[in-house]
Amino acid sequence: MQRRSFLKGTFITAGSLLVGGAAVYRYLTGQEQPEESKYPQAIEKMTKEGSKKNVLVLMSSATRKGNTDNLADAYIKGVSEKGYSVTKVYLGSMQLEGCHGCGACQHNNHRCVLKDGMQDIYPLFAECDTLVMASPMHFWTISSRLKAFIERLYAISTEDKYPEKEMVLLMTSGDNKETTFDQPVRYFHILSEIFGNKEKGMYLAGDCKGCEEETRNIDGKHLDNAYKLGLEL
Ligand SMILES: Cc1cc2nc3c(=O)[nH]c(=O)nc-3n(C[C@H](O)[C@H](O)[C@H](O)COP(=O)(O)O)c2cc1C
């Protein structure tokens, strides 16, 4: 090791210990100090050797093993059989705030000042090829957790431009009318356009039995169809 880099390394370590780690590290290296995840129970990684795609599934229902979670798992089964790597994030197991609109990210190297679950999701989003948004219908649209995630992507934008991603929407609802999914579907098309017009399908499962019943229930045909959609990715 060269003398200069040895001295720099020693100074960073000593300074971090004496003055307060994160600030000194940031000052000397220009980077955020990597932090341990606060939400290890919220992220499941299924890495496949030689995978050609990284698929990020955001499961935004708060209920594990509920309708939306089961629908997401059926889709993941199909995607895994194709040999793709999948990361599943349980948004309901994290703290996740909507964007505060402070604009700091636009002057701060695209870093959001809010330190919550999104800090775990930003790198996963950056490395994914496909974003799968799984949501229960809540008051005729997507869940507030999923909406919070979408708002927070503002931090990574440059002049309102976003990276290209393949996009998939999976939803469950109690109703099953012709118009039930109108709002989220329209919103999904708008989002897909922002992310480079690479829609890879959606599956909308109506007639699910939700928390108003003793046990939640989603028809097996929905799970079969979601599985097939996963195989088509
Ligand atoms: C707060 C809340 C709002 C809901 N709003 C709607 C709605 O607007 N339309 C609808 O068809 N179902 C609605 N539902 C029913 C859920 O979408 C449905 O039961 C869903 O499958 C639950 O998924 P989960 O088991 O993943 O939570 C609502 C349920 C809750 C708890």
Side-chain angles (χ1 to χ4, degrees), residues 53 55 75 79 82 84 129-132 165-170 188-189 192 197-203 226 228-233:
K53 257 184 206 180
V55 181
Y75 184 82
V79 168
K82 286 210 68 176
Y84 298 147
D129 304 291
T130 312
L131 175 69
V132 180
K165 300 286 173 191
E166 293 180 348
M167 304 278 279
V168 176
L169 177 68
L170 306 174
F188 176 62
H189 291 323
S192 300
N197 256 322
K198 296 165 100 178
E199 268 183 36
K200 287 287 168 181
M202 58 183 135
Y203 190 79
K228 284 180 195 146
L229 191 65
L231 287 174
E232 283 168 21
L233 182 68

Side-chain angles (χ1 to χ4, degrees), residues 26-165:
R26 197 165 47 241
Y27 177 72
L28 292 170
T29 64
Q31 294 165 1
E32 272 311 319
Q33 193 168 20
E35 278 177 22
E36 294 265 307
S37 170
K38 283 187 243 167
Y39 309 99
Q41 76 289 2
I43 299 169
E44 285 172 3
K45 278 198 180 210
M46 295 152 255
T47 311
K48 296 266 171 132
E49 198 84 6
S51 163
K52 293 201 185 77
K53 257 184 206 180
N54 276 327
V55 181
L56 175 62
V57 180
L58 299 180
M59 206 295 284
S60 73
S61 169
T63 309
R64 292 193 185 211
K65 302 291 165 219
N67 299 333
T68 312
D69 197 14
N70 284 335
L71 191 70
D73 280 348
Y75 184 82
I76 288 170
K77 185 167 181 278
V79 168
S80 303
E81 282 178 20
K82 286 210 68 176
Y84 298 147
S85 293
V86 180
T87 303
K88 182 181 180 190
V89 179
Y90 296 88
L91 294 188
S93 300
M94 302 178 147
Q95 211 64 33
L96 196 60
E97 281 194 54
C99 176
H100 283 203
C102 66
C105 55
Q106 300 301 311
H107 312 282
N108 189 20
N109 206 14
H110 300 282
R111 285 197 296 259
C112 180
V113 294
L114 300 175
K115 301 299 175 212
D116 59 10
M118 213 42 209
Q119 299 305 333
D120 286 3
I121 302 177
Y122 284 127
L124 300 175
F125 181 74
E127 67 195 27
C128 84
D129 304 291
T130 312
L131 175 69
V132 180
M133 299 183 289
S135 178
M137 175 79 83
H138 278 178
F139 287 90
W140 303 281
T141 190
I142 56 167
S143 69
S144 54
R145 277 174 215 93
L146 190 54
K147 179 64 164 44
F149 156 80
I150 293 162
E151 289 178 15
R152 296 284 294 285
L153 291 178
Y154 180 61
I156 62 162
S157 68
T158 304
E159 289 170 7
D160 255 351
K161 299 274 183 304
Y162 292 82
E164 291 197 0
K165 300 286 173 191

